Amino acid sequence: MRTVKLERTIRAPLADVFEWLTDATNFQRVPIIRRVTPVRPGNLVEHGVGAVRLLVTPLVRVTEEIVEYDPPRLIRYKLLSSYPPMRTQDGCLEFKETEGGAWIRWTAHFEVDAPLFADLWTAGMAPMVLGGIRSVLGTAEKELRRH
């Protein structure tokens, strides 16, 4: 199991940052993401608990479900299916308002499901996961600074 954490402050109102990052359809504007498909809306709000989304990149395809949603403080998701197959994957985005804007901590836990060398495959995937998170946060920052 690997854990990747990234923290960043985006100079924008907390509510705007939370809304941008919890609406995964915004991720389609991230250069490495090919497609985002909302599969099912959340139980009470569109991107809240129960929402299911499919994210497709050139190397990875994941279907995730939102399992915790506490605006504008927290969103947590878990893996439903993926390619390449993973034993586990979940993530959490935490948000706080600061003088400089909105602080975000994105934590992702994952483990590749491979018959041989699963630890090696998982370790090799860590830079890709970190790069993906950086790309999403970078795109959010660029778009939110324009407004």
Side-chain angles (χ1 to χ4, degrees):
M1 174 83 75
R2 286 283 173 159
T3 299
V4 171
K5 281 186 186 179
L6 188 62
E7 295 181 14
R8 179 175 288 184
T9 299
I10 295 177
R11 293 183 184 273
L14 176 62
D16 294 350
V17 174
F18 183 86
E19 184 178 323
W20 198 100
L21 288 169
T22 57
D23 179 352
T25 60
N26 290 321
F27 296 6
Q28 292 182 129
R29 296 188 300 277
V30 175
I32 64 165
I33 296 180
R34 295 260 167 94
R35 181 170 44 104
V36 176
T37 305
V39 176
R40 179 180 73 211
N43 301 338
L44 299 175
V45 294
E46 186 176 0
H47 304 291
V49 173
V52 175
R53 59 198 189 184
L54 167 68
L55 292 94
V56 178
T57 74
L59 300 174
V60 178
R61 176 186 176 106
V62 296
T63 302
E64 303 169 333
E65 180 179 11
I66 304 304
V67 294
E68 191 173 351
Y69 181 82
D70 182 11
R73 190 182 73 75
L74 176 101
I75 186 167
R76 189 177 310 273
Y77 59 89
K78 72 173 183 175
L79 177 75
L80 296 179
S81 64
S82 69
Y83 181 83
M86 295 202 215
R87 283 191 191 105
T88 60
Q89 187 230 347
D90 62 70
C92 180
L93 285 81
E94 301 167 84
F95 301 81
K96 286 185 197 171
E97 191 160 5
T98 67
E99 277 187 34
W103 171 87
I104 305 107
R105 176 189 299 138
W106 192 327
T107 307
H109 309 279
F110 57 94
E111 183 177 18
V112 174
D113 186 7
L116 297 171
F117 309 113
D119 290 343
L120 187 61
W121 287 108
T122 301
M125 201 161 178
M128 290 190 314
V129 172
L130 187 59
I133 292 170
R134 272 196 185 112
S135 292
V136 170
L137 292 175
T139 301
E141 186 169 29
K142 282 181 206 165
E143 291 192 4
L144 290 166
R145 280 189 170 179
R146 288 185 200 146
H147 300 321

